[in-house]
């Protein structure tokens, strides 16, 4: 027993639109605990839709269609399904009236082509569409096979799914068991290294543990199947804790946590404030920190010192050091961090200076070379060198740099909070 | 002869990620004129991948795979393809060396599990991955069937597609008739208003003109079908020009142009420099400007004045005005723009101060209220008020604010360049 998704629409095959419906419905299947092994996309063509149905109904017991329910001739999902199962199409008078009423309410006259949207296969039930003119259907054309159709417009599909389909599927017995997941996030460790560390946990069956890699971040999804959320959490918690112990400081948060939210929380805990000095990121670090609403409690601001003159004038970077070591150097990174901390009177200062490319690199200082500096509440400064790779894109280098800066601060704050050596010079 | 797309990854079936690769590759098939009738998504399971291959190779002559090329045990695309066609997997020493080199360059040690990424089916050619460790392959396991594999990471897949796959497909004879498009971009006009202005041009058949709306930006795609790019351009140019005339200043660029690149170009033309003062955007405007490589020629930097103390200390905002009018006001926006211009000694200064929400709004100053200030080379200052809507998300309000600030500068620069009243105080 599993559900299969069939998205009908030539616009998907032309790449005109992104298939966000597929992601939404996949998540919904997971929540209801319905196994989901296949998705297909097919154009507005009866023969090809038949071919997809032919295979899908051999391997899946619930077929969910999106798209192709509109009034134009190329909308032929209902027709294709009916003809595949040799069922005649019947005009539903209530649906027709509903479509007419909706046109009236908008002050428009229904065009004859809309009549088509009132046709459903004999034996099917209407799945009402409260926000649009295209209703869907729920149909069991033979035993052990249920078909649901939805329009392609995401907002209409989602509302119909939530208001009618979910109830129907629960009546069929689905959703007795849910799949509940926790997404654990890591920095400073690669996907393969983490997988090796976690080892046997990757072979568990309930909860399952699966690794994902995204830009500069590795994730483990811990998913449990259980009658409800509480029971699922009881399965997830001990495994998550074990992983957290194994990963140590490389684990930074779960689910909606971001580096910016975690650092913000730590700064609140420590009652400390932060400012930033940015060269190659051009404001991206400040932007990242201020994605968090309420970040003004601990983030005072910063200086975008893209030009060297700004480094000297606003951050008190030493002109001679700039000339001797260059703007992209340990020394200048440290001076920038201390400069912004002093200028903005915050506990912490972070700085980023590097070569984001694609231009500006040299043999000695290649594209991807980035120095990140930190100034602590005690005005100690230090900087780290990163070589992020000459082949990486400008935006990737900038994004990873901002993440590294925040991740460094996160580790420093945790260390200080654990050692209880927090020394708040500027209480809020 | 047609191409079929097979995306492998349980994360797609769980709805963890959006299948943006499918849209990208669909567009690329269209550009090359390759018919594309089916897409499938299947999980990390050899039996199911075999089943999908089995059907796909009966109806399509090019199978393009994405995903499942990573180092972990659940990455099994290559293995599944090889075993379906009964081909042994061979370790490619060059690929293995390349992976080792990449780990070395990052200062990390290759894990044993990464060796797997150097395995390719006997007879296949490596499709190199310049940005990551997972290479793809190009393989003709039998006549009239070509298989291409790509990693699931979009940036890696796109680069490999453009740098290697396109050339290969053209050698196979594809791309004889191409579909070539120009994406025209507009600001300051809605989708329906632009569609009405453009009128009958929307009914053309070659080139076609189709509207798209995205965040704060409207686009028209002008697409022509022709034997080559030159012929396509000859069809597109006159229509694009007509649209440009109709839209006037609301048209800002095409294709890869962004507000940041267009403003950068105008500043270069005028030989003028820019700095920014940001409150609610927290660095997002500077980040946007510095997405352009070489922006250091005209962008000196800025001040992130998230806290009011920074506005006073670094931007010379008047403390009394701050108290009387509030930080989110015409007056403070103008003082911020002039302050940063003076402090950083640039021709232009732009400022943003607003309430991005979700907290911090009041009846008088609701979420979405944003003031943008501009200081001209003559030190004239002015500010505009925008009400971006209380129901919009924080990130949307911040993004649109940065766009509005740049779009305002764009219009000012064009006006000045046209009137020839450019007065450069700071030649580079």
């Amino acid at each position: 027993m599993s559900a299969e998704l069939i998205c009908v629409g030539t616009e998907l095959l032309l790449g005109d639109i992104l298939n966000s419906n597929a992601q939404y419905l996949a998540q919904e299947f997971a929540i209801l605990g319905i196994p989901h092994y296949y998705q297909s996309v097919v154009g507005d063509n009866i023969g090809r839709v038949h071919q997809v149905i032919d295979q899908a109904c051999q391997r899946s017991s619930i077929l969910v269609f999106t798209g192709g329910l509109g009034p134009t001739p190329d909308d032929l999902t209902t027709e294709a399904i009916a003809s595949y199962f040799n069922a005649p199409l019947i005009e539903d008078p209530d649906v027709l009236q509903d479509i007419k009423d909706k046109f009236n309410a908008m002050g428009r006259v229904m065009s004859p082509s809309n009549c088509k949207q009132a046709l459903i296969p004999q034996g099917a039930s209407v799945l009402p569409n409260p926000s649009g003119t295209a209703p869907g259907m729920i149909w069991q054309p033979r035993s052990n096979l249920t078909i649901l159709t939805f329009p392609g417009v995401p907002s209409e599909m989602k509302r119909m799914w939530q208001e009618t389909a979910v109830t129907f599927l629960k009546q069929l017995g689905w959703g007795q068991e849910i799949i509940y997941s926790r997404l654990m996030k890591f920095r400073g460790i690669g996907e393969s290294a983490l997988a090796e560390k976690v080892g046997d946990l990757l072979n568990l069956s309930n909860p399952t543990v699966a690794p994902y890699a995204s830009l500069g971040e590795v994730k483990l999804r811990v998913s449990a199947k259980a009658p409800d959320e509480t029971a699922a959490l009881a399965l997830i918690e001990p495994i998550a804790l074990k992983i957290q112990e194994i990963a140590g400081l490389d684990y930074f948060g779960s689910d909606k946590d971001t580096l910016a939210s975690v650092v913000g929380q730590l700064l609140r805990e420590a009652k400390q404030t932060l400012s930033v000095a940015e060269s190659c990121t051009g404001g991206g670090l400040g932007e990242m920190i201020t994605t968090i609403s309420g970040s003004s409690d601990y983030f005072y601001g910063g200086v975008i010192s893209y030009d060297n003159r700004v480094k000297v004038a606003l951050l008190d970077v030493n002109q001679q050091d700039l000339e001797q070591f260059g703007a992209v150097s340990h020394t200048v990174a440290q001076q920038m961090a201390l400069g912004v901390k002093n200028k903005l009177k915050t506990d912490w200062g972070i700085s980023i200076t590097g070569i984001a490319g694609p231009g500006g690199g040299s043999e000695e200082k290649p594209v991807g070379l980035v120095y990140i500096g930190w100034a602590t509440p005690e005005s100690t400064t230090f900087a780290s060198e990163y070589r992020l790779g000459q082949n990486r894109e400008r935006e990737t280098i900038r994004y990873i740099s901002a993440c590294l800066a925040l991740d460094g601060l996160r580790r420093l704050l945790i260390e200080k909070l654990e050692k209880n050596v927090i020394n708040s010079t500027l209480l809020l």
Side-chain angles (χ1 to χ4, degrees), chain A:
Chain A
M1 293 285 275
S2 64
E4 179 153 350
L5 181 59
I6 300 169
C7 304
V8 185
T10 301
E11 66 273 31
L12 289 165
L13 295 176
L14 288 172
D16 284 342
I17 55 169
L18 189 59
N19 194 356
S20 62
N21 286 343
Q23 182 181 25
Y24 177 83
L25 288 168
Q27 287 170 341
E28 291 292 313
F29 293 147
I31 290 168
L32 289 170
I34 304 179
H36 170 48
Y37 303 128
Y38 301 96
Q39 294 174 356
S40 302
V41 176
V42 60
D44 303 307
N45 173 295
I46 290 207
R48 289 188 206 114
V49 174
H50 279 178
Q51 207 189 334
V52 169
I53 297 176
D54 195 44
Q55 184 164 68
C57 64
Q58 286 170 44
R59 61 191 181 192
S60 304
S61 49
I62 302 173
L63 309 190
V64 175
F65 288 79
T66 62
L69 304 186
T72 55
D74 62 338
D75 292 306
L76 42 71
T77 300
T78 310
E79 195 184 333
I81 297 171
S83 60
Y84 180 84
F85 293 101
N86 295 314
L89 284 167
I90 312 283
E91 189 175 273
D92 184 308
D94 294 340
V95 173
L96 192 63
Q97 191 55 49
D98 180 60
I99 298 173
K100 276 184 190 155
D101 290 348
K102 277 174 181 153
F103 273 90
N104 284 341
M106 292 184 290
R108 284 162 52 195
V109 177
M110 191 184 89
S111 54
S113 59
N114 286 93
C115 291
K116 179 179 151 180
Q117 296 181 293
L119 296 174
I120 60 165
Q122 195 163 41
S125 310
V126 169
L127 202 155
N129 180 348
S131 6
T133 58
M137 66 165 169
I138 297 179
W139 189 29
Q140 291 180 289
R142 60 187 193 214
S143 63
N144 291 322
L145 183 67
T146 304
I147 288 176
L148 293 103
T149 64
F150 296 87
V153 180
S155 58
E156 297 180 12
M157 180 277 290
K158 287 178 191 172
R159 192 164 168 194
M160 291 163 69
W161 177 265
Q162 292 299 345
E163 293 183 3
T164 315
V166 169
T167 318
F168 175 81
L169 290 167
K170 283 188 174 169
Q171 278 165 4
L172 282 189
W174 294 107
Q176 308 292 319
E177 281 225 307
I178 61 158
I179 296 178
Y180 191 84
S181 299
R182 175 171 299 168
L183 196 63
M184 303 183 70
K185 302 178 183 181
F186 307 82
R187 287 256 165 206
I189 186 166
E191 184 184 4
S192 45
L194 181 64
E196 277 164 32
K197 263 188 154 179
V198 170
D200 284 348
L201 295 179
L202 294 178
N203 302 323
L204 292 175
S205 60
N206 195 20
T208 56
V209 180
Y212 298 85
S214 55
L215 206 55
E217 191 170 303
V218 174
K219 295 172 187 157
L220 288 180
R221 176 176 291 275
V222 187
S223 302
K225 205 169 185 171
D228 56 39
E229 201 179 307
T230 316
L233 273 174
L235 291 167
I236 290 171
E237 290 285 2
I239 302 302
L241 217 66
K242 210 176 270 182
I243 293 171
Q244 218 171 310
E245 272 165 29
I246 293 170
L249 270 183
D250 290 340
Y251 167 78
F252 75 86
S254 287
D255 297 326
K256 287 188 177 172
D257 292 339
T258 60
L259 274 177
S261 74
V262 169
V263 164
Q265 200 43 51
L266 290 167
L267 284 167
R268 273 181 205 283
E269 245 176 85
K271 295 198 174 63
Q272 293 185 326
T273 57
L274 173 66
S275 60
V276 297
E278 305 188 50
S279 276
C280 65
T281 44
L285 174 57
E287 201 272 336
M288 195 180 274
I289 293 166
T290 57
T291 51
I292 307 303
S293 175
S295 50
S296 53
D297 291 348
Y298 49 81
F299 180 65
Y300 279 16
V303 171
I304 305 171
S305 56
Y306 215 59
D307 190 90
N308 280 347
R309 279 162 283 194
V310 181
K311 293 185 183 74
V312 175
L314 267 74
L315 294 173
D316 294 331
V317 170
N318 186 295
Q319 178 72 46
Q320 258 188 320
D321 290 340
L322 257 179
E323 281 159 26
Q324 190 180 341
F325 303 107
V328 180
S329 63
H330 270 110
T331 314
V332 169
Q334 292 182 59
Q335 291 181 11
M336 285 170 64
L338 189 63
V340 78
K341 167 190 153 68
N342 289 339
K343 210 75 167 195
L344 272 72
K345 300 196 173 65
T346 53
D347 296 296
W348 294 89
I350 323 183
S351 69
I352 303 179
T353 175
I355 299 156
S362 65
E363 197 157 325
E364 196 199 348
K365 296 196 175 178
V367 166
L369 178 67
V370 175
Y371 291 90
I372 297 176
W374 295 270
T376 70
E378 299 77 27
S379 293
T380 313
T381 64
F382 46 95
S384 290
E385 177 187 293
Y386 299 92
R387 288 174 186 269
L388 302 178
Q390 295 192 54
N391 289 318
R392 278 202 161 122
E393 284 178 10
R394 179 177 177 83
E395 281 318 288
T396 308
I397 290 170
R398 282 155 43 98
Y399 174 75
I400 296 179
S401 299
C403 292
L404 285 167
L406 279 184
D407 195 40
L409 180 59
R410 178 182 70 85
R411 290 166 193 260
L412 287 167
L413 279 163
I414 291 175
E415 209 174 273
K416 286 196 166 240
L417 281 165
E418 275 175 1
K419 288 192 191 151
N420 203 14
V421 292
I422 282 296
N423 172 12
S424 180
T425 52
L426 245 182
L427 285 173
L428 295 169

